[in-house]
Structures are given as structure tokens and as C-alpha cells.
Amino acid sequence: MYRAVRMADNLPLLEPFTKQHTYCTYCPKMCRFSCPVSVAQSSETTTPWAKMTSAHHVNDGNLDMSETVAASWYGCSGCLRCRTHCTHRNEVAATLYAARAEAVQLGRAPKQAINVLQEHERRAQNAARAGSRLFAESTTETGAEVMYFPGCTANVLCADDAVAGWRATQALADAPVRAVADRCCGLPLLEAGDPEGFRSAAAEVLSAISEASLVVFLDPGCLHALKVGSVRHDLTPPADRMIHLSELAARHIDRIEPLPKPITARYHDPCRLGRGLGVYEAPRRVLAKILGNEVEEFHQNRDDSICAGAGGQLPRTDPETAAAIAKDRLAQHAWVGGGTIVTACPGSARQLSENGSDTVLSFASLLAESCRGNR
Ligand code: SF4
Ligand code: SF4
């Protein structure tokens, strides 16, 4: 049942973000250039300022929440680049996710977003079945102190990556490892506009990992959602025990051996690993050891890195824009010399591969082959 839309009705889910959308509304668009969606669409409507300002005016009752306005809120990959270029470090993506939730409740969300929500249960079950098959032997292991969370994307679409991350974690952890591959963190629900659904899924995962001494994540999106996103939804993750695979590898760099022949590759910072979690140097240090070379850099790297278009449900709500963003990133790669790309996010690797790069290496696969004992 949808709530009725009334002018001058404040949007309750936007209430915690009042400061954010108000700051944007009175800002002279300082981060205008930073949004990959706005750049790919050559559109003013999807600049961070425009999306936040329309949310502000809808909240104040000065603008009708039309389907066009609501659709603009889905023009965000959640890349966090605008935050880097904002003096206030404004949380645009989180604010827009709340606006999306209002659009869903008021029946104004685009049908592609509603499809994401309606299909989620079936997709999560498929991913859980795929994960349970991949890790059939490990999931029943008891007494494991370290847990490995591959994530739905890897379980279904990048099984080699999921298994590589598992092999690397087993080789590097100082304890028995158990895979937690039979449940979704709920991130697609948060991004599509169902925060309650996200909270419930995230709470289940946090309960499943509560006893672990360490939880190693392959997908930075899942890690960011559970470690950072869940806190905004009143959950208490064991943050100091939740790390990315690259951080585990950096802790045990002495157990990593270089490839027989050095190779060169350019590192693409996954948005949620870099800007989201502040993990920039661990993958670079580990890759330097594996490749026998410092990684090459994009012109825009680390906190100014530009996303591959795989986040925020953009590939499902607006595949054309998501593909255009990936192609922009590949053009930036070509501009600084081309060659091989390596990244530490299964979704980013897949997005870049599908949009024209035939030379994307997976961090997890390289690591699995380079761990002492796996050769
Ligand atoms: S995110 Fe910051 S820089 Fe960008 S429009 Fe909002 S207040 Fe301005
Ligand atoms: S988080 Fe990224 S995609 Fe979203 S508005 Fe900011 S720059 Fe644009």
C-alpha cells in the first residue's frame, strides 16, 4: 500500500539527512564535475547538487515528487567521489538512498528499481545456492575462527574469483576458515529503496559472523555495506574484525611470492574499498610484490578515482549509463598508456570486462596463485 503524496509533507526517511540536502541546496555546485553519472549523461539533472536539491524541495513541499524527479535520485552509482570534492564531506549517496526509499513508499520509483526489489529474494536464493555449492565442504565446518564472505556477485557471476579468494584466505589465515556464502548482505535492497529489508538481511549476516575472530571479505561492496552502512541503520558490526582480502594479504606479505616473470598492470581503485573504507595502500603493496613491479596509476586514482559504473544498482536501473561510465574509465586507461588493469572488486572487474577491456586481472586470482603453499 502506497502512502499518499501531499505537498508540505516532510519525508521521514530523509530527516536524518536534513543537513546534507540543505547544504547542497545552498551550494554553488562545487562538486559538479565529480559525478560520473552526470558526466556520462551530459546532464545537469543528475549532478549531485541537482539530485540533492530536488530531494530538499520535495521534502519541503515545494516540489512534487514526480516520477521524473524520483528517477533522477536513481542516477547515482554510490561512488562517493562527490564527497571527496565537498568541503563538508557531504554524504550524497546515503541521502539519495533515503530519497529512493521515500519514492518506493510513495509509488514514484522507476519500474526498474521496483524490479530489483521484487526479484531480490529469488536472486539472493540463487546466490545462496551457488555459494553453498562452491563451498559445500567448508560451510559445515565447525570451530572455525576465521570466516570468508565472498558475496553474491562473485558466487553467481565470478565463481573463479570467489574460489580464489577462498584459497588465498585459507593459505594466509592462521586458523581454520569457514565460508559464509549462503546469504546476502542486503546491499541491493538498500540501493533500490528498501532500508528495512537491508537492515534485516545485514542483521542476519552480522549474527552469522558474530563469533569469528576475523571475517575476510572478497567484495568491497558487501564489506562497506556491513561495516559502514549497517551502522546508519542502528546495527553494531564487529568493525575491527571485518577486513578486505587485500588487508589480510598485506598483513602476511612475507608469505606472498612474486610471479615467475614480472608484469605491469594499472590498478583501478574500487570505490567502496578506497573512498568507502580508506583502503588504498594494502592492495598496491601486495600487487607490487606479486607483479614484481609497482602498479601503474590512472591519472585519477585513490580518493579521486572514477568508478566503473557497477554500483548503486545502476547496471540494472540504467544499464546504458552504467556502460558509458565503464567506457569512460577505459578511455582514461587508454589515455595513460593502456595495457592490463587489475582491480580488487569482482563487480568492477566484470563491468570493465563487459564494456571493452579484454585485459582485466583479478586481485584474488593473482593472490591465490602467489600465496606460498598454493603453487
Ligand atoms: S556535495 Fe558538497 S560540494 Fe557537492 S553540491 Fe553538495 S554541498 Fe556542494
Ligand atoms: S556518489 Fe558518485 S554517482 Fe552518486 S552523486 Fe556522488 S559522484 Fe555522483
Side-chain angles (χ1 to χ4, degrees):
M1 176 77 75
Y2 295 138
R3 287 198 339 249
V5 186
R6 284 188 293 124
M7 299 297 273
D9 226 9
N10 279 6
L11 304 177
L13 298 173
L14 266 183
E15 204 273 326
F17 301 98
T18 302
K19 187 174 108 179
Q20 280 80 4
H21 59 72
T22 304
Y23 275 14
C24 285
T25 301
Y26 295 100
C27 171
K29 310 181 188 179
M30 299 300 285
C31 66
R32 186 181 184 284
F33 66 93
S34 68
C35 180
V37 175
S38 167
V39 169
Q41 296 179 341
S42 300
S43 167
E44 187 69 18
T45 308
T46 45
T47 58
W49 172 85
K51 291 175 285 201
M52 294 287 272
T53 299
S54 63
H56 179 83
H57 290 314
V58 169
N59 184 62
D60 278 357
N62 293 321
L63 179 69
D64 182 32
M65 191 199 289
S66 67
E67 289 178 2
T68 306
V69 165
S72 75
W73 300 337
Y74 283 85
C76 171
S77 66
C79 77
L80 308 172
R81 189 165 183 249
C82 49
R83 191 179 69 178
T84 295
H85 295 284
C86 175
T87 307
H88 308 293
R89 303 275 298 164
N90 231 357
E91 295 285 355
V92 172
T95 307
L96 293 176
Y97 293 168
R100 293 175 185 187
E102 288 287 357
V104 168
Q105 291 198 5
L106 295 167
R108 299 296 163 94
K111 71 173 184 321
Q112 296 89 338
I114 300 302
N115 288 345
V116 172
L117 297 174
Q118 290 176 341
E119 290 172 8
H120 181 75
E121 191 56 35
R122 179 183 60 77
R123 292 172 73 103
Q125 284 176 4
N126 282 348
R129 273 194 295 274
S132 298
R133 274 195 302 273
L134 282 176
F135 304 104
E137 286 169 22
S138 74
T139 46
T140 55
E141 189 175 337
T142 54
E145 297 174 57
V146 174
M147 294 188 184
Y148 168 67
F149 193 92
C152 297
T153 300
N155 284 343
V156 175
L157 300 172
C158 324
D160 289 352
D161 241 19
V163 172
W166 164 247
R167 288 177 58 218
T169 302
Q170 283 187 306
L172 297 174
D174 294 315
V177 184
R178 179 182 162 199
V180 180
D182 60 347
R183 61 200 73 203
C184 171
C185 70
L187 177 60
L189 296 174
L190 179 66
E191 293 173 331
D194 178 7
E196 275 307 309
F198 163 69
R199 189 183 189 284
S200 164
E204 271 192 41
V205 175
L206 293 177
S207 166
I209 65 174
S210 62
E211 300 298 318
S213 60
L214 192 67
V215 191
V216 180
F217 288 79
L218 174 70
D219 191 323
C222 308
L223 177 55
H224 183 255
L226 292 169
K227 194 168 176 173
V228 179
S230 71
V231 176
R232 287 202 189 102
H233 295 268
D234 300 324
L235 295 171
T236 312
D240 57 340
R241 291 181 275 129
M242 300 164 74
I243 63 171
H244 185 253
L245 180 64
S246 61
E247 295 175 281
L248 177 73
R251 288 181 189 182
H252 300 289
I253 201 155
D254 54 317
R255 297 189 210 162
I256 295 169
E257 294 178 343
L259 294 169
K261 259 177 81 175
I263 62 172
T264 56
R266 179 164 296 110
Y267 180 64
H268 168 77
D269 285 276
C271 301
R272 271 69 179 273
L273 185 61
R275 280 185 291 269
L277 295 158
V279 179
Y280 297 111
E281 300 313 320
R284 286 175 165 82
R285 276 183 59 217
V286 172
L287 285 167
K289 179 109 185 240
I290 294 173
L291 302 175
N293 275 315
E294 296 294 325
V295 289
E296 295 185 339
E297 297 287 357
F298 281 86
H299 181 64
Q300 295 95 347
N301 61 65
R302 295 182 170 80
D303 67 349
D304 193 33
S305 179
I306 298 181
C307 89
Q313 295 305 305
L314 207 59
R316 294 169 72 189
T317 57
D318 186 351
E320 210 172 293
T321 297
I325 293 172
K327 289 191 169 94
D328 281 352
R329 190 59 167 158
L330 291 172
Q332 293 148 21
H333 173 57
W335 188 67
V336 284
T340 300
I341 296 176
V342 59
T343 189
C345 168
S348 300
R350 185 175 158 82
Q351 180 76 356
L352 293 171
S353 295
E354 283 184 342
N355 286 288
S357 176
D358 53 6
T359 51
V360 182
L361 292 178
S362 141
F363 176 89
S365 298
L366 285 170
L367 179 63
E369 292 309 312
S370 299
C371 291
R372 196 167 293 151
N374 276 355
R375 284 219 172 132

